[in-house]
């Protein structure tokens, strides 16, 4: 049985790309390096053994003479710095045209069509904003009007926030599906619609991560489709299912935290995941011996990068590292593990948006000799490695 396990540490970039200013980023951004410095070093012995510290000078992550994995840095080809662009490129789809962004909020005609089709009565905000800040600011008005809070960011996102004790979660999802259709039908070229449910907990508006959903544009053919079409299993853990709009996926399970995503990934590697329970109904009942386990660990980005919480970011990386040795121990000789990231979100620089950065990559198999892969042009290098490993 041939398997590839790709684990994406969301937003763990490692240095500004040369064109970062075109994306309104500072050349000083370096998510992993700055998180290490802020925390006076990180305790990540398992990724350290793999060669993470050999990629750059990171405070507290030592260089090793005999790394257990191939290690390197990848430079994105696509025009973007967001989750969708990064993951699609890993799957072999390079986006030459950047997704649309709305620095002044969405046009009136788009908002009016959204209000008309959803019958929501109106919207609040319609500006670029930090999600936690805009929800806190407009929660009272949201309760008075029952209007959804609609906002965007530097990324190509149409975000809809509601208190699900006021507006049912099912209604929020329906509004997001409506927004996705409006954007697609109108050719707005918006990467994602994001459902941002929250509740009042201890008197504060608090987002409910496990109920977040992303409604992405449907990608054209990717390595996921190739694996699925040829009879293999594609197991999506975390928000992978949303990023690819279910395209090319055979099994999927959402997560409420990195810990849950790591536990599920470990179960998948151990063949302990209940695949029948998470299989898409339209699947064939029989599969060949090729499997792709694709995990996104979002907490680094969502909970810490966007909130400028470098301490929390460091703890999240350390938590991820505690699972790496268990995953490796559960692997067999026909398994390939790839640990990487999709963009940056440096919590130590000004702003709360993603940053246009290189990303680290670690590639492990029990029989692969550790070596420096150097600078790799394109995240689609991941897709190439997957194809070669699975012989597709």
């Amino acid at each position: 049985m041939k398997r590839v396990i790709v684990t994406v540490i969301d937003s763990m970039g490692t240095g500004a790309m040369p064109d970062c200013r075109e994306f309104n980023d500072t050349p000083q951004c370096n998510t992993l390096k700055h998180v290490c410095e802020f925390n006076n070093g990180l305790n990540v012995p398992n990724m350290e053994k793999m060669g993470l510290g050999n990629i750059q000078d990171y405070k507290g992550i030592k260089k090793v003479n005999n790394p257990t994995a191939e290690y390197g840095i990848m430079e994105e080809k696509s025009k973007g710095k967001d989750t969708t662009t990064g993951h699609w490129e890993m799957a072999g789809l390079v986006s030459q045209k950047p997704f649309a962004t709305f620095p002044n909020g969405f046009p009136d005609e788009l908002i009016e069509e959204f209000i008309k089709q959803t019958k929501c009565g109106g919207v609040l905000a319609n500006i670029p904003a930090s999600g936690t800040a805009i929800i806190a600011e407009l929660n009272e008005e949201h309760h008075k009007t029952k209007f959804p809070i609609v906002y965007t960011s530097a990324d190509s996102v149409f975000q809809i926030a509601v208190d699900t004790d006021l507006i049912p979660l099912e209604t929020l999802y329906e509004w997001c599906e409506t927004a996705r259709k409006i954007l697609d039908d109108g050719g707005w070229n918006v990467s994602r619609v994001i459902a941002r449910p929250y509740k009042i907990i201890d008197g504060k508006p608090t987002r409910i991560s496990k109920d977040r959903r992303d409604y992405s544009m449907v990608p054209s053919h990717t390595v996921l489709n190739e694996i699925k079409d040829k009879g293999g299993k594609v197991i999506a853990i975390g928000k992978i299912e949303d990023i690819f709009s279910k395209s090319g996926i055979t099994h999927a399970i959402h997560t409420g935290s990195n810990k849950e995503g790591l536990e599920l990934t470990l179960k998948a590697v151990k063949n302990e995941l209940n695949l029948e329970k998470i299989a898409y109904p339209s699947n064939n009942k029989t599969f060949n011996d090729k499997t792709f386990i694709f995990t996104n660990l979002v907490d680094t980005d969502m909970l810490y990068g966007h909130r400028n919480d470098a301490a929390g970011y460091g703890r999240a990386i350390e938590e991820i590292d505690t699972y790496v040795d268990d995953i490796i121990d559960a692997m067999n000789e026909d398994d390939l593990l790839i640990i990487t990231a999709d963009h940056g979100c440096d919590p130590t620089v000004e702003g709360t948006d993603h940053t246009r950065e290189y990303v680290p990559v670690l590639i492990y198999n029990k029989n692969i000799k550790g070596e420096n892969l150097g600078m790799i042009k394109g995240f689609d290098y991941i897709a190439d490695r997957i194809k070669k490993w699975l012989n597709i």
Side-chain angles (χ1 to χ4, degrees):
M1 182 170 63
K2 299 277 282 188
R3 301 187 301 183
V4 177
I5 306 111
V6 173
T7 300
V8 180
I9 304 176
D10 204 306
S11 85
M12 197 179 76
T14 189
M17 286 177 50
D19 60 357
C20 68
R21 289 194 185 278
E22 296 175 25
F23 296 82
N24 300 311
D25 293 325
T26 171
Q28 280 69 51
C29 62
N30 189 321
T31 301
L32 180 54
K33 189 178 184 70
H34 290 159
V35 167
C36 287
E37 290 170 355
F38 183 92
N39 290 283
N40 197 30
L42 294 181
N43 181 30
V44 289
N46 296 304
M47 287 190 282
E48 182 179 86
K49 280 191 298 187
M50 297 175 76
L52 182 61
N54 294 40
I55 292 174
Q56 268 184 23
D57 291 326
Y58 302 118
K59 188 168 187 177
I61 306 178
K62 295 191 292 289
K63 298 182 186 298
V64 293
N65 292 327
N66 297 297
T68 60
E70 298 174 340
Y71 61 90
I73 292 178
M74 296 194 301
E75 180 180 0
E76 189 168 14
K77 293 177 182 174
S78 299
K79 297 298 181 183
K81 57 173 183 176
D82 60 90
T83 296
T84 305
T85 305
H87 282 76
W88 283 12
E89 186 165 314
M90 284 180 221
L93 181 59
V94 177
S95 305
Q96 298 292 355
K97 179 183 176 183
F99 291 119
T101 56
F102 300 86
N104 300 310
F106 300 106
D108 290 344
E109 61 181 295
L110 176 53
I111 293 296
E112 287 166 6
E113 188 62 25
F114 174 76
I115 294 169
K116 176 184 173 183
Q117 291 198 28
T118 59
K119 299 181 174 61
C120 65
V123 304
L124 304 177
N126 187 26
I127 56 172
S130 160
T132 49
I134 201 70
I135 289 167
E137 178 185 337
L138 296 176
N139 175 63
E140 188 175 338
E141 191 174 355
H142 172 56
H143 277 256
K144 285 179 183 176
T145 63
K146 293 190 177 181
F147 294 166
I149 301 168
V150 173
Y151 63 104
T152 187
S153 73
D155 295 327
S156 182
V157 288
F158 188 107
Q159 305 187 83
I160 308 172
V162 302
D163 180 343
T164 53
D165 287 331
L166 180 72
I167 305 293
L169 185 62
E170 294 74 19
T171 301
L172 172 60
Y173 291 162
E174 289 170 5
W175 287 350
C176 288
E177 289 169 1
T178 298
R180 181 72 270 167
K181 188 173 188 309
I182 292 168
L183 292 166
D184 289 344
D185 290 349
W188 291 96
N189 194 33
V190 172
S191 171
R192 286 180 292 162
V193 176
I194 306 179
R196 294 288 195 180
Y198 72 93
K199 292 178 181 287
I200 307 302
I201 299 175
D202 296 329
K204 291 175 58 178
T206 304
R207 295 201 299 202
I208 309 300
S209 299
K210 70 180 178 65
D211 292 331
R212 165 185 168 160
R213 293 291 182 273
D214 293 36
Y215 299 80
S216 294
M217 293 177 66
V218 179
S220 57
H221 202 75
T222 69
V223 70
L224 281 68
N225 300 102
E226 290 188 46
I227 296 167
K228 180 181 177 181
D229 292 348
K230 292 179 180 177
K233 292 190 289 288
V234 179
I235 303 170
I237 297 174
K239 64 177 184 177
I240 296 295
E241 174 186 35
D242 292 346
I243 295 168
F244 289 89
S245 293
K246 299 181 171 61
S247 179
I249 293 168
T250 61
H251 302 75
I253 184 166
H254 279 268
T255 58
S257 67
N258 276 2
K259 184 176 179 62
E260 185 181 359
L262 290 159
E263 293 281 2
L264 290 168
T265 302
L266 181 56
K267 281 187 174 182
V269 176
K270 289 181 171 181
N271 292 312
E272 294 174 356
L273 203 57
N274 186 342
L275 294 182
E276 188 173 334
K277 185 176 179 181
I278 65 171
Y280 285 175
S282 59
N283 281 345
N284 294 326
K285 295 299 181 184
T286 58
F287 296 94
N288 62 28
D289 62 350
K290 294 175 172 57
T291 299
F292 178 26
I293 301 166
F294 202 177
T295 300
N296 173 277
L297 302 172
V298 74
D299 290 358
T300 37
D301 182 59
M302 181 176 68
L303 298 183
Y304 307 117
H306 286 301
R307 298 181 188 180
N308 298 132
D309 183 354
Y313 205 122
R315 289 193 300 272
I317 295 173
E318 291 180 338
E319 178 186 52
I320 292 165
D321 189 77
T322 64
Y323 281 85
V324 171
D325 59 338
D326 291 335
I327 290 170
I328 285 175
D329 288 346
M331 291 168 57
N332 60 50
E333 292 188 353
D334 289 325
D335 292 338
L336 187 72
L337 172 65
I338 302 174
I339 300 173
T340 188
D342 53 346
H343 50 73
C345 193
D346 191 332
T348 71
V349 299
E350 187 177 353
T352 60
D353 296 317
H354 291 157
T355 40
R356 173 82 165 169
E357 296 186 42
Y358 300 107
V359 300
V361 62
L362 300 170
I363 302 177
Y364 174 85
N365 167 264
K366 293 183 185 295
N367 297 317
I368 283 180
K369 182 182 177 182
E371 63 174 316
N372 185 1
L373 298 173
M375 178 66 71
I376 300 163
K377 183 69 174 178
F379 295 0
D380 52 348
Y381 175 78
I382 301 293
D384 291 340
R385 290 295 296 260
I386 293 168
K387 289 179 186 179
K388 288 174 183 174
W389 191 260
L390 297 180
N391 296 315
I392 60 169

